[in-house]
Amino acid sequence: MAALRAAVPVLALLGLCLGPAAAVTPLVIWHGMGDSCCNPVSMGYIRKLVEKKIPGIYVLSLKIGSNLIQDMENSFFMNVNDQVSQVCSQLAADPRLRGGYNAMGFSQGGQFLRAVAQRCPSPPMLNLISVGGQHQGRVYGFPRCPGESSHVCDWIRKTLDLGAYTKAVQEHLVQAEYWHDPLKEEDYRKSSIFLADINQERGINETYKKNLMALRKFVMVKFLNDTMVDPPISEWFGFYKSGQAKETIPLQETSLYKEDRLGLQEMDKAGKLVFLGVKGDHLHFSEEWFDSTILPFLQ
């Protein structure tokens, strides 16, 4: 008994030193084109998977609009800058995110969440996981889009071919805002209202650079058999060599990296950039791969 009484103050002291168990870092996810926040076979599945593997985690699957139909439609037709602004306000108003959060974006949601990291540092994004995001632009030629038989896809193709860099198309078609035509680099730099801005194509915004460099890890997943993203190396921040559409170069050979306009070179040297490859077509991966490769960045 005497020994037990003597141990109590020690245990109490240890409790004070250790404090309460650390809370699980929340997760924010953003879906891709033609999807919605809560689709049971996509984002709903991912949410349940994460919640099962990491008990007690708060997962916020972003919904842009008042219902699932609007959320899906907005992934095609709502100005990306407005979407990012809306998300920044939503995150800032959520008390569960005040201590910081991890972010995971799928396809176009990857570059949209990077814009959140660059533009909205409060609450702080800790780790960014881009699953098939196109950080140097995508869909040169628009090889495929969700719902291949849909008239929406055909209309988007025709619209992009006719005038991706016109003001009206840029402001009202999401895919035009990250359309990067390697044969029209000057038009892209001048007229892209979203991607050219967050990629520092028209000048250096030091705040963007500082905020992105605050990430602990920036994880980029490339699908090694991707038939939807052209060029697939955009998922690792690479792109076509300027002026042609055949030869691609990795991030480390781009002017963005060499001039370190976003701080990616410094992040790379510090071990903050993680390049992952997974066999399969766009957004095709197994639960086993997700568990072993992605979950460790969330725990």
Side-chain angles (χ1 to χ4, degrees):
M1 288 294 294
L4 179 60
R5 285 195 298 270
V8 169
V10 175
L11 292 173
L13 182 59
L14 285 172
L16 289 173
C17 293
L18 295 174
V24 179
T25 301
L27 174 65
V28 173
I29 58 179
W30 199 336
H31 63 79
M33 173 177 64
D35 202 356
S36 67
C37 68
C38 312
N39 186 331
V41 298
S42 58
M43 296 302 98
Y45 166 75
I46 293 294
R47 179 176 180 172
K48 287 184 178 180
L49 182 59
V50 172
E51 290 174 338
K52 181 177 74 172
K53 300 293 183 177
I54 309 178
I57 191 173
Y58 169 54
V59 180
L60 172 62
S61 186
L62 294 168
K63 179 174 69 176
I64 312 299
S66 59
N67 55 58
L68 301 189
I69 298 298
Q70 285 186 3
D71 188 23
M72 184 273 291
E73 291 176 343
N74 286 336
S75 74
F76 289 110
F77 303 119
M78 182 178 177
N79 186 296
V80 180
N81 293 310
D82 292 340
Q83 292 192 52
V84 170
S85 179
Q86 184 180 118
V87 166
C88 288
S89 297
Q90 182 178 350
L91 301 184
D94 192 331
R96 290 166 288 189
L97 303 178
R98 286 176 186 164
Y101 64 96
N102 293 321
M104 182 161 51
F106 294 83
S107 197
Q108 69 183 24
Q111 60 260 34
F112 296 174
L113 278 171
R114 174 164 64 87
V116 172
Q118 292 175 208
R119 294 175 177 176
C120 310
S122 181
M125 185 185 295
L126 306 179
N127 295 300
L128 172 58
I129 303 170
S130 170
V131 184
Q134 306 93 48
H135 295 281
Q136 283 277 26
R138 62 156 285 194
V139 202
Y140 174 70
F142 208 63
R144 184 165 63 84
C145 85
E148 186 60 54
S149 62
S150 170
H151 68 282
V152 174
C153 295
D154 292 333
W155 180 85
I156 290 174
R157 284 192 186 92
K158 292 177 182 178
T159 302
L160 289 171
D161 286 339
L162 288 173
Y165 296 121
T166 63
K167 183 177 180 181
V169 174
Q170 280 287 312
E171 292 182 350
H172 299 290
L173 182 58
V174 166
Q175 289 66 43
E177 295 179 50
Y178 56 89
W179 175 276
H180 188 172
D181 189 335
L183 305 181
K184 298 180 180 178
E185 288 284 358
E186 190 57 37
D187 290 341
Y188 159 69
R189 283 190 289 269
K190 179 181 178 181
S191 303
S192 170
I193 65 173
F194 173 69
L195 189 67
D197 175 65
I198 65 168
N199 280 4
Q200 309 272 47
E201 297 283 4
R202 292 188 288 265
I204 307 300
N205 182 326
E206 292 294 343
T207 299
Y208 282 4
K209 183 175 180 178
K210 175 184 176 182
N211 290 342
L212 188 64
M213 291 177 65
L215 289 173
R216 296 174 181 172
K217 294 288 184 182
F218 179 9
V219 181
M220 288 169 271
V221 177
K222 173 187 171 185
F223 290 89
L224 301 179
N225 310 104
D226 205 314
T227 63
M228 182 172 177
V229 175
D230 186 358
I233 200 170
S234 181
E235 297 170 5
W236 279 351
F237 239 117
F239 201 60
Y240 288 115
K241 183 178 288 188
S242 183
Q244 50 83 62
K246 292 183 178 180
E247 183 182 355
T248 61
I249 56 176
L251 166 63
Q252 289 77 5
E253 294 181 23
T254 66
S255 58
L256 176 67
Y257 184 92
K258 291 178 179 179
E259 298 169 7
D260 211 17
R261 299 198 303 265
L262 268 177
L264 294 173
Q265 182 184 137
E266 190 170 338
M267 293 176 72
D268 194 16
K269 291 178 179 178
K272 289 188 172 186
L273 300 187
V274 180
F275 301 90
L276 301 176
V278 57
K279 292 182 179 179
D281 204 348
H282 194 63
L283 299 186
H284 289 196
F285 56 85
S286 67
E287 181 175 331
E288 291 74 21
W289 174 85
F290 186 86
D291 288 352
S292 64
T293 309
I294 300 301
L295 282 180
F297 293 102
L298 304 179
Q299 294 171 312

